[in-house]
Amino acid sequence: MRITIVGTGYVGLVTGACFAEMGNDVVCVDIDEDKLDRLRQGIVPIHEPGLDRLIEENTAAGQLNFSSHLADALADTQVVFIAVGTPPHEDGSADVSHVLTVARQIGETMVSRVAVVDKSTVPVGTADRVEETIQAALDERGVDIEFDVLSNPEFLKEGAAVADFMRPDRIVIGSENEDSKRLMRELYAPFSRNHDKIQFMSVRDAEMTKYAANAMLATKISFMNEIAALCDHFGVDVENVRKGIGSDQRIGFSFIYAGAGYGGSCFPKDVRALISMANDADLGGELFRAVESRNRQQKTLLMDRISEKMGADLSGRTFAVWGLSFKPETDDIREAPALEMIERLLAAGARIRTFDPKAMEPAKRALDHLDSSRITYADSPFDAVTGADALLIMTEWKNFRQPDFRRLAESLKERLIFDGRNLFDPEIVANYGLRYIGIGRNSERL
């Protein structure tokens, strides 16, 4: 099948590479010529396990191409996916202007029937606006070309996106057009061989499903963080509570880890978009507001703990920070709790020594407005610890999970670990003479 993907961001690249891997002819379209040149050379702008190999091999095989000319790509395509960004407005509502711009360009350049698929996360009703925009452009040209607009939201986890695309839990397709349904079933057949994973529904149902999925996961995280706050107050270990409720099959273990809050490009943006949609519908959205509020509080919680243990004025203090990305196996630092912590520590007078396996360069760019003389980007986790008073764990990378605690005890002046991801067992850490402050658990209750 001949496929066009508009947008070479996280979703567009993964979608294009995975479809090409299955033998389809894919053209990824973007307006950034420098980015396209780098992609043709195999230089992938994001860290996503397995993606660079897929792009390199399928580009070499001629099944994956990159272009800045949408008209050329549409000349011989059956499906065009819109995979551009939908950043939030100041009020939290999703900005779909990029989606509508692409829709207009499709209407201005299409020459034959095409299925237009919204892959971007968009508010309910966006497909209607896309259809109206394309039709208006066709009317201006005075041509009558058949097209259909579908919704096919992505459910990819950063750090496991390729695996998620290749082995999806479900494939949600919003369409009322039987021809488009047959086309999408054929396209996704290689990803649905074990059992039928395709779920057809209305376009609006599919648009809402994406938001509901992310909001549910964010709610589980904020719920567990609220429980952790109670655990701190009553001297309870939240890890035992997590195991106790997670073993209930109705709840499960996924997304019930207490921590320093969620970040990334999806959960924060999508929860705020739901709040905006609830406002527009005069429904209040109290639950979504509570999820967002708890997450905001969670990102500053460790700063409160640091102030309790070390004082509000941190002048002359040095903190090692392990982890900068919002989660492991990605270099995405958007709304990462680590960046907010670093800003707050610097504002309190502290110095920072930090290390992340993949996100150092994006973090440098994101923090370049701060006093760079007080931030050291270390070469390794223990290089970051050199001369530090205390250690903060902000991302649960695997190579942070079993450090040499004896070496940490010798290196940290205050022998203090603030664990924003509950990676360590307080009892084990205490056995090495270290003090441990986690989220809903600490060594002082032993």
Side-chain angles (χ1 to χ4, degrees), residues 23 43 67 164 269 293 296 313-314 342 350 364 386 397 443:
I43 302 172
S67 174
D164 285 347
K269 174 174 69 73
S293 175
R296 284 199 307 270
D313 183 0
L314 300 175
I342 287 173
K364 287 179 184 178
T386 302
W397 286 95
S443 58

Short mmCIF file of all heavy atoms in Angstrom, two decimals, residues 23 43 67 164 269 293 296 313-314 342 350 364 386 397 443:
data_model
loop_
_atom_site.label_atom_id
_atom_site.label_comp_id
_atom_site.label_asym_id
_atom_site.label_seq_id
_atom_site.Cartn_x
_atom_site.Cartn_y
_atom_site.Cartn_z
N GLY A 23 6.38 -3.71 4.54
CA GLY A 23 6.40 -3.80 3.09
C GLY A 23 5.67 -2.72 2.35
O GLY A 23 5.63 -2.72 1.11
N ILE A 43 20.03 9.84 10.58
CA ILE A 43 20.19 10.56 11.86
C ILE A 43 18.79 10.83 12.41
O ILE A 43 18.05 11.68 11.90
CB ILE A 43 20.95 11.88 11.67
CG1 ILE A 43 22.33 11.60 11.05
CG2 ILE A 43 21.09 12.60 13.01
CD1 ILE A 43 23.08 12.86 10.66
N SER A 67 10.16 13.66 2.22
CA SER A 67 9.93 14.70 1.24
C SER A 67 9.32 15.93 1.88
O SER A 67 8.64 15.84 2.92
CB SER A 67 8.99 14.19 0.13
OG SER A 67 8.64 15.22 -0.76
N ASP A 164 5.15 -1.29 20.80
CA ASP A 164 3.71 -1.06 20.91
C ASP A 164 3.03 -1.05 19.55
O ASP A 164 1.92 -1.56 19.39
CB ASP A 164 3.43 0.26 21.64
CG ASP A 164 3.68 0.18 23.13
OD1 ASP A 164 3.81 -0.94 23.65
OD2 ASP A 164 3.73 1.23 23.78
N LYS A 269 -0.74 17.39 28.71
CA LYS A 269 -1.49 18.09 27.66
C LYS A 269 -2.91 17.55 27.53
O LYS A 269 -3.87 18.32 27.41
CB LYS A 269 -0.74 17.94 26.34
CG LYS A 269 -1.47 18.48 25.11
CD LYS A 269 -0.59 18.41 23.87
CE LYS A 269 -0.34 17.00 23.41
NZ LYS A 269 -1.53 16.37 22.78
N SER A 293 -4.11 18.86 39.59
CA SER A 293 -3.66 19.53 40.80
C SER A 293 -2.68 18.66 41.59
O SER A 293 -1.64 19.14 42.05
CB SER A 293 -4.86 19.89 41.67
OG SER A 293 -4.45 20.42 42.91
N ARG A 296 0.71 18.64 39.92
CA ARG A 296 1.47 19.87 40.16
C ARG A 296 2.12 19.84 41.54
O ARG A 296 3.28 20.20 41.71
CB ARG A 296 0.58 21.10 40.03
CG ARG A 296 0.22 21.49 38.61
CD ARG A 296 -0.27 22.94 38.53
NE ARG A 296 -1.36 23.20 39.48
CZ ARG A 296 -2.64 23.06 39.20
NH1 ARG A 296 -3.01 22.62 38.01
NH2 ARG A 296 -3.57 23.31 40.11
N ASP A 313 17.39 27.75 52.58
CA ASP A 313 18.53 28.37 51.90
C ASP A 313 19.56 27.29 51.62
O ASP A 313 20.18 26.74 52.52
CB ASP A 313 19.14 29.47 52.78
CG ASP A 313 20.28 30.19 52.09
OD1 ASP A 313 20.59 29.85 50.93
OD2 ASP A 313 20.86 31.11 52.70
N LEU A 314 19.76 26.99 50.34
CA LEU A 314 20.67 25.91 49.95
C LEU A 314 21.98 26.44 49.37
O LEU A 314 22.69 25.72 48.68
CB LEU A 314 19.97 25.00 48.93
CG LEU A 314 18.69 24.32 49.43
CD1 LEU A 314 18.03 23.55 48.30
CD2 LEU A 314 18.98 23.39 50.60
N ILE A 342 15.33 21.05 39.29
CA ILE A 342 16.60 21.75 39.10
C ILE A 342 16.40 23.27 39.19
O ILE A 342 17.18 23.97 39.83
CB ILE A 342 17.24 21.34 37.76
CG1 ILE A 342 17.79 19.91 37.88
CG2 ILE A 342 18.36 22.31 37.37
CD1 ILE A 342 18.30 19.33 36.57
N ALA A 350 21.38 26.45 45.34
CA ALA A 350 22.17 25.23 45.23
C ALA A 350 22.94 25.15 43.92
O ALA A 350 22.68 25.89 42.96
CB ALA A 350 21.26 24.01 45.36
N LYS A 364 20.17 20.36 28.35
CA LYS A 364 21.02 21.56 28.26
C LYS A 364 20.30 22.67 27.52
O LYS A 364 20.36 23.84 27.93
CB LYS A 364 22.33 21.21 27.53
CG LYS A 364 23.31 20.38 28.33
CD LYS A 364 24.56 20.08 27.50
CE LYS A 364 25.51 19.16 28.24
NZ LYS A 364 26.71 18.83 27.43
N THR A 386 30.11 13.19 42.78
CA THR A 386 31.37 13.77 43.31
C THR A 386 31.13 15.14 43.92
O THR A 386 30.66 16.06 43.26
CB THR A 386 32.41 13.88 42.17
OG1 THR A 386 32.64 12.60 41.60
CG2 THR A 386 33.71 14.46 42.71
N TRP A 397 15.87 5.05 35.37
CA TRP A 397 16.69 4.31 34.42
C TRP A 397 17.22 3.03 35.07
O TRP A 397 17.54 3.01 36.26
CB TRP A 397 17.86 5.17 33.96
CG TRP A 397 17.50 6.25 33.01
CD1 TRP A 397 17.22 7.56 33.32
CD2 TRP A 397 17.38 6.16 31.59
NE1 TRP A 397 16.93 8.27 32.18
CE2 TRP A 397 17.02 7.44 31.10
CE3 TRP A 397 17.53 5.11 30.67
CZ2 TRP A 397 16.82 7.70 29.74
CZ3 TRP A 397 17.34 5.37 29.32
CH2 TRP A 397 16.98 6.64 28.87
N SER A 443 13.46 5.89 55.36
CA SER A 443 14.22 5.06 56.30
C SER A 443 13.94 5.45 57.75
O SER A 443 14.26 4.68 58.66
CB SER A 443 15.71 5.17 56.01
OG SER A 443 16.15 6.52 56.10
#
